[in-house]
mmCIF file of all heavy atoms in Angstrom:
data_model
loop_
_atom_site.group_PDB
_atom_site.id
_atom_site.type_symbol
_atom_site.label_atom_id
_atom_site.label_comp_id
_atom_site.label_asym_id
_atom_site.label_seq_id
_atom_site.Cartn_x
_atom_site.Cartn_y
_atom_site.Cartn_z
ATOM 1 N N ASN B 67 -22.005 -21.247 -7.495
ATOM 2 C CA ASN B 67 -21.656 -21.623 -6.106
ATOM 3 C C ASN B 67 -22.978 -21.573 -5.296
ATOM 4 O O ASN B 67 -23.272 -20.587 -4.649
ATOM 5 C CB ASN B 67 -20.592 -20.710 -5.603
ATOM 6 C CG ASN B 67 -19.962 -21.268 -4.372
ATOM 7 O OD1 ASN B 67 -20.303 -22.270 -3.876
ATOM 8 N ND2 ASN B 67 -18.941 -20.585 -3.929
ATOM 9 N N THR B 68 -23.794 -22.714 -5.240
ATOM 10 C CA THR B 68 -25.039 -22.596 -4.693
ATOM 11 C C THR B 68 -25.021 -22.247 -3.173
ATOM 12 O O THR B 68 -24.147 -22.862 -2.428
ATOM 13 C CB THR B 68 -25.830 -23.958 -4.787
ATOM 14 O OG1 THR B 68 -25.560 -24.368 -6.225
ATOM 15 C CG2 THR B 68 -27.254 -23.867 -4.533
ATOM 16 N N GLY B 69 -25.833 -21.380 -2.800
ATOM 17 C CA GLY B 69 -25.808 -20.959 -1.313
ATOM 18 C C GLY B 69 -24.794 -19.861 -1.065
ATOM 19 O O GLY B 69 -24.921 -19.188 -0.033
ATOM 20 N N LYS B 70 -23.802 -19.624 -1.929
ATOM 21 C CA LYS B 70 -22.877 -18.547 -1.719
ATOM 22 C C LYS B 70 -22.711 -17.835 -3.084
ATOM 23 O O LYS B 70 -21.581 -17.659 -3.553
ATOM 24 C CB LYS B 70 -21.449 -19.060 -1.307
ATOM 25 C CG LYS B 70 -21.482 -19.773 0.042
ATOM 26 C CD LYS B 70 -20.199 -20.388 0.370
ATOM 27 C CE LYS B 70 -20.075 -20.860 1.735
ATOM 28 N NZ LYS B 70 -18.775 -21.469 2.058
ATOM 29 N N GLU B 71 -23.846 -17.445 -3.623
ATOM 30 C CA GLU B 71 -23.737 -16.819 -5.019
ATOM 31 C C GLU B 71 -23.006 -15.525 -5.060
ATOM 32 O O GLU B 71 -22.405 -15.177 -6.110
ATOM 33 C CB GLU B 71 -25.179 -16.630 -5.560
ATOM 34 C CG GLU B 71 -25.838 -18.016 -6.024
ATOM 35 C CD GLU B 71 -26.699 -18.561 -4.962
ATOM 36 O OE1 GLU B 71 -26.556 -18.135 -3.832
ATOM 37 O OE2 GLU B 71 -27.429 -19.508 -5.327
ATOM 38 N N PHE B 72 -23.124 -14.731 -3.939
ATOM 39 C CA PHE B 72 -22.509 -13.421 -3.994
ATOM 40 C C PHE B 72 -21.412 -13.242 -2.999
ATOM 41 O O PHE B 72 -21.397 -13.969 -1.905
ATOM 42 C CB PHE B 72 -23.514 -12.325 -3.745
ATOM 43 C CG PHE B 72 -24.500 -12.269 -4.895
ATOM 44 C CD1 PHE B 72 -25.607 -13.005 -4.986
ATOM 45 C CD2 PHE B 72 -24.136 -11.378 -5.977
ATOM 46 C CE1 PHE B 72 -26.497 -12.824 -6.029
ATOM 47 C CE2 PHE B 72 -25.048 -11.247 -7.030
ATOM 48 C CZ PHE B 72 -26.161 -11.979 -7.125
ATOM 49 N N MET B 73 -20.487 -12.494 -3.249
ATOM 50 C CA MET B 73 -19.400 -12.236 -2.324
ATOM 51 C C MET B 73 -19.076 -10.794 -2.202
ATOM 52 O O MET B 73 -19.094 -10.072 -3.187
ATOM 53 C CB MET B 73 -18.136 -12.992 -2.840
ATOM 54 C CG MET B 73 -16.977 -12.896 -1.859
ATOM 55 S SD MET B 73 -15.605 -13.665 -2.702
ATOM 56 C CE MET B 73 -15.771 -15.279 -2.256
ATOM 57 N N VAL B 74 -19.002 -10.281 -1.026
ATOM 58 C CA VAL B 74 -18.586 -8.868 -0.801
ATOM 59 C C VAL B 74 -17.089 -8.852 -0.359
ATOM 60 O O VAL B 74 -16.743 -9.637 0.583
ATOM 61 C CB VAL B 74 -19.382 -8.120 0.293
ATOM 62 C CG1 VAL B 74 -19.079 -6.701 0.364
ATOM 63 C CG2 VAL B 74 -20.841 -8.247 -0.215
ATOM 64 N N VAL B 75 -16.272 -8.102 -0.956
ATOM 65 C CA VAL B 75 -14.801 -8.035 -0.731
ATOM 66 C C VAL B 75 -14.407 -6.694 -0.107
ATOM 67 O O VAL B 75 -14.743 -5.681 -0.702
ATOM 68 C CB VAL B 75 -14.082 -8.387 -2.050
ATOM 69 C CG1 VAL B 75 -12.566 -8.538 -1.629
ATOM 70 C CG2 VAL B 75 -14.551 -9.646 -2.661
ATOM 71 N N TYR B 76 -13.762 -6.705 0.974
ATOM 72 C CA TYR B 76 -13.307 -5.497 1.636
ATOM 73 C C TYR B 76 -11.750 -5.576 1.551
ATOM 74 O O TYR B 76 -11.175 -6.453 1.950
ATOM 75 C CB TYR B 76 -13.730 -5.473 3.118
ATOM 76 C CG TYR B 76 -15.216 -5.489 3.354
ATOM 77 C CD1 TYR B 76 -15.903 -6.682 3.318
ATOM 78 C CD2 TYR B 76 -15.854 -4.317 3.737
ATOM 79 C CE1 TYR B 76 -17.229 -6.707 3.557
ATOM 80 C CE2 TYR B 76 -17.251 -4.417 3.949
ATOM 81 C CZ TYR B 76 -17.929 -5.570 3.852
ATOM 82 O OH TYR B 76 -19.274 -5.647 4.138
ATOM 83 N N HIS B 77 -11.171 -4.368 1.122
ATOM 84 C CA HIS B 77 -9.788 -4.237 1.132
ATOM 85 C C HIS B 77 -9.465 -3.184 2.198
ATOM 86 O O HIS B 77 -10.053 -2.074 2.123
ATOM 87 C CB HIS B 77 -9.222 -3.812 -0.118
ATOM 88 C CG HIS B 77 -9.032 -4.830 -1.244
ATOM 89 N ND1 HIS B 77 -10.063 -5.188 -2.014
ATOM 90 C CD2 HIS B 77 -8.066 -5.596 -1.542
ATOM 91 C CE1 HIS B 77 -9.724 -6.153 -2.815
ATOM 92 N NE2 HIS B 77 -8.465 -6.476 -2.563
ATOM 93 N N MET B 78 -8.575 -3.565 3.092
ATOM 94 C CA MET B 78 -8.229 -2.563 4.150
ATOM 95 C C MET B 78 -6.692 -2.339 4.190
ATOM 96 O O MET B 78 -5.977 -3.090 3.818
ATOM 97 C CB MET B 78 -8.754 -3.002 5.478
ATOM 98 C CG MET B 78 -10.213 -3.203 5.516
ATOM 99 S SD MET B 78 -10.954 -3.311 7.076
ATOM 100 C CE MET B 78 -10.402 -2.057 7.980
ATOM 101 N N HIS B 79 -6.310 -1.177 4.789
ATOM 102 C CA HIS B 79 -4.982 -0.837 4.717
ATOM 103 C C HIS B 79 -4.552 -0.194 6.011
ATOM 104 O O HIS B 79 -5.312 0.727 6.537
ATOM 105 C CB HIS B 79 -4.716 0.108 3.569
ATOM 106 C CG HIS B 79 -3.317 0.436 3.193
ATOM 107 N ND1 HIS B 79 -2.913 1.099 2.147
ATOM 108 C CD2 HIS B 79 -2.179 -0.055 3.678
ATOM 109 C CE1 HIS B 79 -1.619 1.187 2.130
ATOM 110 N NE2 HIS B 79 -1.089 0.415 2.972
ATOM 111 N N SER B 80 -3.417 -0.541 6.550
ATOM 112 C CA SER B 80 -2.922 0.134 7.784
ATOM 113 C C SER B 80 -1.670 1.008 7.318
ATOM 114 O O SER B 80 -0.671 0.411 6.857
ATOM 115 C CB SER B 80 -2.437 -0.907 8.815
ATOM 116 O OG SER B 80 -1.540 -0.254 9.734
ATOM 117 N N PHE B 81 -1.828 2.276 7.509
ATOM 118 C CA PHE B 81 -0.708 3.113 6.966
ATOM 119 C C PHE B 81 0.528 3.072 8.013
ATOM 120 O O PHE B 81 1.609 3.273 7.544
ATOM 121 C CB PHE B 81 -1.199 4.604 6.973
ATOM 122 C CG PHE B 81 -2.169 4.841 5.913
ATOM 123 C CD1 PHE B 81 -3.189 5.803 6.119
ATOM 124 C CD2 PHE B 81 -2.139 4.211 4.759
ATOM 125 C CE1 PHE B 81 -4.107 6.060 5.141
ATOM 126 C CE2 PHE B 81 -3.029 4.451 3.692
ATOM 127 C CZ PHE B 81 -4.049 5.372 3.903
ATOM 128 N N VAL B 82 0.216 2.789 9.261
ATOM 129 C CA VAL B 82 1.300 2.750 10.276
ATOM 130 C C VAL B 82 2.244 1.564 9.870
ATOM 131 O O VAL B 82 3.517 1.669 9.929
ATOM 132 C CB VAL B 82 0.691 2.545 11.621
ATOM 133 C CG1 VAL B 82 1.804 2.636 12.694
ATOM 134 C CG2 VAL B 82 -0.351 3.609 11.878
ATOM 135 N N HIS B 83 1.658 0.452 9.572
ATOM 136 C CA HIS B 83 2.431 -0.737 9.323
ATOM 137 C C HIS B 83 2.641 -1.030 7.836
ATOM 138 O O HIS B 83 3.250 -2.047 7.481
ATOM 139 C CB HIS B 83 1.903 -1.952 10.091
ATOM 140 C CG HIS B 83 1.825 -1.698 11.531
ATOM 141 N ND1 HIS B 83 2.883 -1.885 12.393
ATOM 142 C CD2 HIS B 83 0.823 -1.314 12.220
ATOM 143 C CE1 HIS B 83 2.511 -1.588 13.571
ATOM 144 N NE2 HIS B 83 1.200 -1.304 13.576
ATOM 145 N N ASN B 84 1.968 -0.311 7.005
ATOM 146 C CA ASN B 84 1.919 -0.578 5.517
ATOM 147 C C ASN B 84 1.477 -2.039 5.345
ATOM 148 O O ASN B 84 2.113 -2.819 4.758
ATOM 149 C CB ASN B 84 3.290 -0.323 4.911
ATOM 150 C CG ASN B 84 3.185 -0.449 3.413
ATOM 151 O OD1 ASN B 84 2.114 -0.399 2.866
ATOM 152 N ND2 ASN B 84 4.294 -0.588 2.774
ATOM 153 N N PHE B 85 0.332 -2.306 5.882
ATOM 154 C CA PHE B 85 -0.181 -3.640 5.807
ATOM 155 C C PHE B 85 -1.514 -3.648 5.253
ATOM 156 O O PHE B 85 -2.417 -2.860 5.625
ATOM 157 C CB PHE B 85 -0.184 -4.188 7.339
ATOM 158 C CG PHE B 85 -0.843 -5.539 7.441
ATOM 159 C CD1 PHE B 85 -0.142 -6.706 7.112
ATOM 160 C CD2 PHE B 85 -2.169 -5.602 7.813
ATOM 161 C CE1 PHE B 85 -0.750 -7.890 7.276
ATOM 162 C CE2 PHE B 85 -2.773 -6.797 7.946
ATOM 163 C CZ PHE B 85 -2.020 -7.950 7.727
ATOM 164 N N ARG B 86 -1.697 -4.557 4.199
ATOM 165 C CA ARG B 86 -3.083 -4.599 3.528
ATOM 166 C C ARG B 86 -3.719 -5.894 3.893
ATOM 167 O O ARG B 86 -3.024 -7.011 4.042
ATOM 168 C CB ARG B 86 -2.949 -4.528 2.039
ATOM 169 C CG ARG B 86 -2.612 -3.129 1.568
ATOM 170 C CD ARG B 86 -2.438 -3.139 0.055
ATOM 171 N NE ARG B 86 -1.811 -1.966 -0.447
ATOM 172 C CZ ARG B 86 -2.420 -0.869 -0.860
ATOM 173 N NH1 ARG B 86 -3.711 -0.823 -0.790
ATOM 174 N NH2 ARG B 86 -1.778 0.129 -1.315
ATOM 175 N N ILE B 87 -4.940 -5.948 3.906
ATOM 176 C CA ILE B 87 -5.727 -7.240 4.272
ATOM 177 C C ILE B 87 -7.028 -7.175 3.417
ATOM 178 O O ILE B 87 -7.542 -6.117 3.140
ATOM 179 C CB ILE B 87 -6.034 -7.243 5.771
ATOM 180 C CG1 ILE B 87 -6.720 -8.538 6.169
ATOM 181 C CG2 ILE B 87 -6.857 -6.058 6.255
ATOM 182 C CD1 ILE B 87 -6.835 -8.776 7.634
ATOM 183 N N ARG B 88 -7.415 -8.393 2.980
ATOM 184 C CA ARG B 88 -8.655 -8.531 2.189
ATOM 185 C C ARG B 88 -9.547 -9.440 2.958
ATOM 186 O O ARG B 88 -9.197 -10.525 3.348
ATOM 187 C CB ARG B 88 -8.190 -9.043 0.872
ATOM 188 C CG ARG B 88 -9.370 -9.349 -0.113
ATOM 189 C CD ARG B 88 -8.953 -10.099 -1.284
ATOM 190 N NE ARG B 88 -8.048 -9.404 -2.171
ATOM 191 C CZ ARG B 88 -7.004 -9.903 -2.772
ATOM 192 N NH1 ARG B 88 -6.777 -11.226 -2.625
ATOM 193 N NH2 ARG B 88 -6.265 -9.183 -3.562
ATOM 194 N N ILE B 89 -10.828 -9.044 3.043
ATOM 195 C CA ILE B 89 -11.791 -9.825 3.744
ATOM 196 C C ILE B 89 -12.972 -10.092 2.835
ATOM 197 O O ILE B 89 -13.419 -9.246 2.242
ATOM 198 C CB ILE B 89 -12.240 -9.106 5.080
ATOM 199 C CG1 ILE B 89 -11.052 -8.703 5.977
ATOM 200 C CG2 ILE B 89 -13.186 -9.968 5.875
ATOM 201 C CD1 ILE B 89 -11.435 -7.718 7.038
ATOM 202 N N LYS B 90 -13.367 -11.334 2.905
ATOM 203 C CA LYS B 90 -14.473 -11.720 1.980
ATOM 204 C C LYS B 90 -15.641 -12.271 2.784
ATOM 205 O O LYS B 90 -15.512 -12.956 3.825
ATOM 206 C CB LYS B 90 -13.948 -12.831 0.998
ATOM 207 C CG LYS B 90 -12.932 -12.448 0.127
ATOM 208 C CD LYS B 90 -12.493 -13.664 -0.649
ATOM 209 C CE LYS B 90 -11.446 -13.357 -1.762
ATOM 210 N NZ LYS B 90 -11.071 -14.571 -2.344
ATOM 211 N N VAL B 91 -16.813 -11.894 2.243
ATOM 212 C CA VAL B 91 -18.042 -12.502 2.934
ATOM 213 C C VAL B 91 -18.934 -12.987 1.813
ATOM 214 O O VAL B 91 -19.200 -12.351 0.859
ATOM 215 C CB VAL B 91 -18.831 -11.263 3.702
ATOM 216 C CG1 VAL B 91 -20.014 -11.892 4.429
ATOM 217 C CG2 VAL B 91 -17.907 -10.593 4.603
ATOM 218 N N SER B 92 -19.278 -14.243 1.955
ATOM 219 C CA SER B 92 -20.112 -14.885 0.982
ATOM 220 C C SER B 92 -21.619 -14.864 1.494
ATOM 221 O O SER B 92 -21.816 -15.107 2.644
ATOM 222 C CB SER B 92 -19.772 -16.356 0.772
ATOM 223 O OG SER B 92 -18.518 -16.383 0.044
ATOM 224 N N ILE B 93 -22.518 -14.480 0.621
ATOM 225 C CA ILE B 93 -23.890 -14.495 0.985
ATOM 226 C C ILE B 93 -24.738 -15.194 -0.159
ATOM 227 O O ILE B 93 -24.242 -15.313 -1.298
ATOM 228 C CB ILE B 93 -24.483 -13.070 1.190
ATOM 229 C CG1 ILE B 93 -24.095 -12.165 0.086
ATOM 230 C CG2 ILE B 93 -24.029 -12.563 2.591
ATOM 231 C CD1 ILE B 93 -24.605 -10.745 0.277
ATOM 232 N N SER B 94 -25.835 -15.734 0.202
ATOM 233 C CA SER B 94 -26.645 -16.415 -0.798
ATOM 234 C C SER B 94 -27.648 -15.465 -1.478
ATOM 235 O O SER B 94 -28.006 -14.477 -0.942
ATOM 236 C CB SER B 94 -27.383 -17.581 -0.092
ATOM 237 O OG SER B 94 -28.478 -17.011 0.592
ATOM 238 N N GLU B 95 -28.046 -15.886 -2.672
ATOM 239 C CA GLU B 95 -28.902 -15.029 -3.440
ATOM 240 C C GLU B 95 -30.263 -14.990 -2.777
ATOM 241 O O GLU B 95 -31.047 -13.997 -2.949
ATOM 242 C CB GLU B 95 -29.012 -15.593 -4.902
ATOM 243 C CG GLU B 95 -29.697 -14.664 -5.781
ATOM 244 C CD GLU B 95 -29.617 -15.065 -7.337
ATOM 245 O OE1 GLU B 95 -29.032 -16.149 -7.511
ATOM 246 O OE2 GLU B 95 -30.119 -14.379 -8.072
ATOM 247 N N ALA B 96 -30.658 -16.149 -2.186
ATOM 248 C CA ALA B 96 -32.000 -16.114 -1.516
ATOM 249 C C ALA B 96 -32.082 -15.100 -0.370
ATOM 250 O O ALA B 96 -33.175 -14.576 -0.150
ATOM 251 C CB ALA B 96 -32.320 -17.567 -0.990
#
Side-chain angles (χ1 to χ4, degrees):
Chain B
N67 199 352
T68 316
K70 293 175 174 181
E71 283 93 351
F72 290 91
M73 186 187 269
V74 183
V75 186
Y76 300 78
H77 281 86
M78 301 196 46
H79 194 176
S80 162
F81 292 147
V82 182
H83 301 280
N84 189 15
F85 174 79
R86 287 179 195 264
I87 184 168
R88 178 190 293 141
I89 305 167
K90 297 175 175 177
V91 185
S92 290
I93 48 178
S94 75
E95 193 172 0

